[in-house]
Amino acid sequence: MYAQMVKSTGQPVKTLDEMDPLERAFQERINANEMIEPKDFMPDSYRQTLIRQISQHANSEIVGQLPEGNWITRAPTLERKAILLAKVQDEAGHGLYLYCAAETLGISREEMSQKLVDGKARYSSIFNYPTLTWADIGAVGWLVDGAAIINQVPLQRCSYGPYSRAMVRICKEESFHQRQGYAMLQTLCTGTDEQKAMVQDAVNRWWWPSIMMFGPPDQESVHSAQSEAWKIKLYSNDELRQKFVNQCVPQADHLGISLPDPDLKWNEETGNYDFGEINWDEFYSVLQGNGPCNNERLGARRKAWEDGRWFRDGLAAHQAKQDDAARKMPKVA
Ligand code: 3HC
């Protein structure tokens, strides 16, 4: 069975007094906003948390190419095709930076990829939904990349150096992705009635899965307390979700479309938009492998992994030959 299941491993956060001296010194560095680098001491649980999150993030970028790549050959103009191609290539690049960042923690790219194809590692729930029409590509850019930016901008200031630095470039590119999606929807919304209806339909389907991207509600988020103490997470799942909703409502108004939530309304007291109940059963069901495209996405990754085996083997054999030759070279005094 596909293993995108929630397995709660949340531990209560230790106080400084409960920590051993090494761990305490580490936490004090974090509290002082010092950046942690690969060769620094870190508790094994910090290392494992980062490996889990960064590899999930990398996997999401790689799997995230699939719903959009599907439309490259069907983009309506040469310009749209070039933009979409660039965007999908960016996602591949993001995956690679992130796998490299995770490798600094002592896991290999091979292991991470193997875990993904074995269904033992997660990728974002959002990529288990289908892109049915061209307007979906706009909705993905506006909503999915928009949600990703809100989640990822704070990661530029997270405590682990290689992750935070990788996020700087990623966020710049995600910002372009979000704008291209919104611009595409603006074009469609000023087109024919059919085009505007196509946008409304796409937004109706992508809205709720996009706000689920931020993860379970805070009270069910098993890793948040510890990840916030380590400054891997600077905001909670619900805080970021609220920020996203607040940002999207005026943008939807500007497009002249509605968001599919009758409970969405401005709350003068909190200064936020209130929104309706999220269908968490759907979220957990997608995580358990039952989303509309889980099998297709994982099947595509498995095929790519197997198809590329001969090439990886070739590279490894070439490297082994070079290492062997280097070993046999006479040493120069
Ligand atoms: N999809 C799949 N799994 C999810 C999820 C989602 N949207 N949200 C949470 N989960 C999983 C967690 O991985 C965790 O699983 P585990 O215990 O088996 O490891 C479990 O649900 C409990 O959730 P928590 O809130 O306790 O987990 P985290 O503290 O890790 O928070 C997160 C989840 C907010 C997604 C955090 O990991 C994060 O910020 N990750 C970095 C960003 C990222 O991975 N984004 C994915 C989208 S990338 C992308 O969007 C590409 C772009 O091009 C569009």
Side-chain angles (χ1 to χ4, degrees):
M1 188 180 67
Y2 181 48
Q4 273 220 354
M5 291 187 289
V6 173
K7 48 172 172 43
S8 302
T9 53
Q11 303 281 329
V13 179
K14 281 190 201 164
T15 64
L16 283 177
D17 289 337
E18 289 166 331
M19 293 176 190
D20 65 41
L22 262 180
E23 199 180 346
R24 183 182 175 126
F26 172 82
Q27 185 63 50
E28 283 169 346
R29 288 190 64 196
I30 300 261
N31 295 350
N33 290 327
E34 276 183 45
M35 198 74 97
I36 305 302
E37 297 297 339
K39 289 186 176 162
D40 295 348
F41 167 81
M42 61 184 84
D44 192 53
S45 43
Y46 175 84
R47 184 184 300 278
Q48 295 310 326
T49 296
L50 281 169
I51 290 178
R52 178 185 64 77
Q53 177 166 326
I54 302 173
S55 66
Q56 170 185 315
H57 193 167
N59 294 340
S60 305
E61 300 281 358
I62 297 297
V63 177
Q65 295 176 95
L66 297 169
E68 292 178 297
N70 185 34
W71 278 90
I72 291 172
T73 54
R74 291 178 285 164
T77 65
L78 187 60
E79 192 195 6
R80 293 288 182 199
K81 191 193 285 277
I83 295 170
L84 185 57
L85 198 58
K87 178 177 191 282
V88 172
Q89 285 174 340
D90 285 352
E91 309 295 3
H94 298 174
L96 300 189
Y97 308 145
L98 289 164
Y99 283 130
C100 287
E103 280 182 314
T104 64
L105 292 155
I107 185 167
S108 70
R109 169 99 182 266
E110 176 94 14
E111 261 178 280
M112 289 183 274
S113 303
Q114 194 63 55
K115 277 191 177 160
L116 172 65
V117 299
D118 288 346
K120 290 182 181 154
R122 295 184 189 289
Y123 58 86
S124 180
S125 51
I126 193 70
F127 300 120
N128 293 306
Y129 291 86
T131 42
L132 301 180
T133 70
W134 175 245
D136 285 43
I137 298 304
V140 167
W142 174 38
L143 297 174
V144 175
D145 292 283
I149 294 171
I150 287 186
N151 170 276
Q152 292 170 18
V153 163
L155 288 174
Q156 294 176 107
R157 290 179 285 116
C158 77
S159 59
Y160 188 57
Y163 193 22
S164 88
R165 289 188 288 274
M167 291 318 299
V168 174
R169 176 161 173 184
I170 292 178
C171 284
K172 288 202 170 90
E173 291 176 350
E174 293 295 359
S175 173
F176 150 67
H177 298 171
Q178 194 264 356
R179 278 156 182 245
Q180 69 81 36
Y182 193 73
M184 189 192 294
L185 296 184
Q186 279 180 305
T187 305
L188 289 170
C189 283
T190 49
T192 64
D193 289 347
E194 285 81 1
Q195 284 172 318
K196 194 164 179 183
M198 194 163 75
V199 171
Q200 185 65 63
D201 171 62
V203 169
N204 289 349
R205 285 179 289 104
W206 285 93
W207 174 248
W208 289 104
S210 297
I211 65 177
M212 291 175 196
M213 277 175 74
F214 296 92
D218 289 350
Q219 68 275 14
E220 286 175 34
S221 167
V222 289
H223 302 295
S224 278
Q226 185 59 76
S227 289
E228 285 180 33
W230 281 328
K231 298 190 185 169
I232 294 172
K233 279 172 112 163
L234 301 185
Y235 297 94
S236 78
N237 297 357
D238 287 335
E239 282 172 321
L240 294 175
R241 189 173 1 258
Q242 183 67 61
K243 202 167 184 274
F244 176 68
V245 172
N246 290 352
Q247 176 181 288
C248 288
V249 175
Q251 292 175 340
D253 284 348
H254 184 71
L255 288 173
I257 57 158
S258 60
L259 293 170
D261 179 358
D263 297 324
L264 196 60
K265 64 170 189 305
W266 178 249
N267 183 330
E268 202 62 60
E269 236 169 77
T270 61
N272 289 308
Y273 282 94
D274 290 337
F275 53 94
E277 194 60 39
I278 297 173
N279 183 350
W280 291 114
D281 289 345
E282 175 180 326
F283 173 75
Y284 289 119
S285 171
V286 172
L287 260 59
Q288 283 168 356
N290 304 320
C293 299
N294 291 61
N295 290 337
E296 189 183 328
R297 301 292 183 242
L298 212 54
R301 286 314 308 154
R302 284 192 181 122
K303 183 173 182 316
W305 185 240
E306 284 312 315
D307 288 353
R309 185 175 296 283
W310 67 272
F311 187 69
R312 293 193 303 278
D313 289 350
L315 282 179
H318 178 68
Q319 186 63 48
K321 256 193 205 166
Q322 292 211 321
D323 291 349
D324 196 41
R327 262 195 308 276
K328 286 179 184 151
M329 281 266 268
K331 291 240 169 10
V332 185

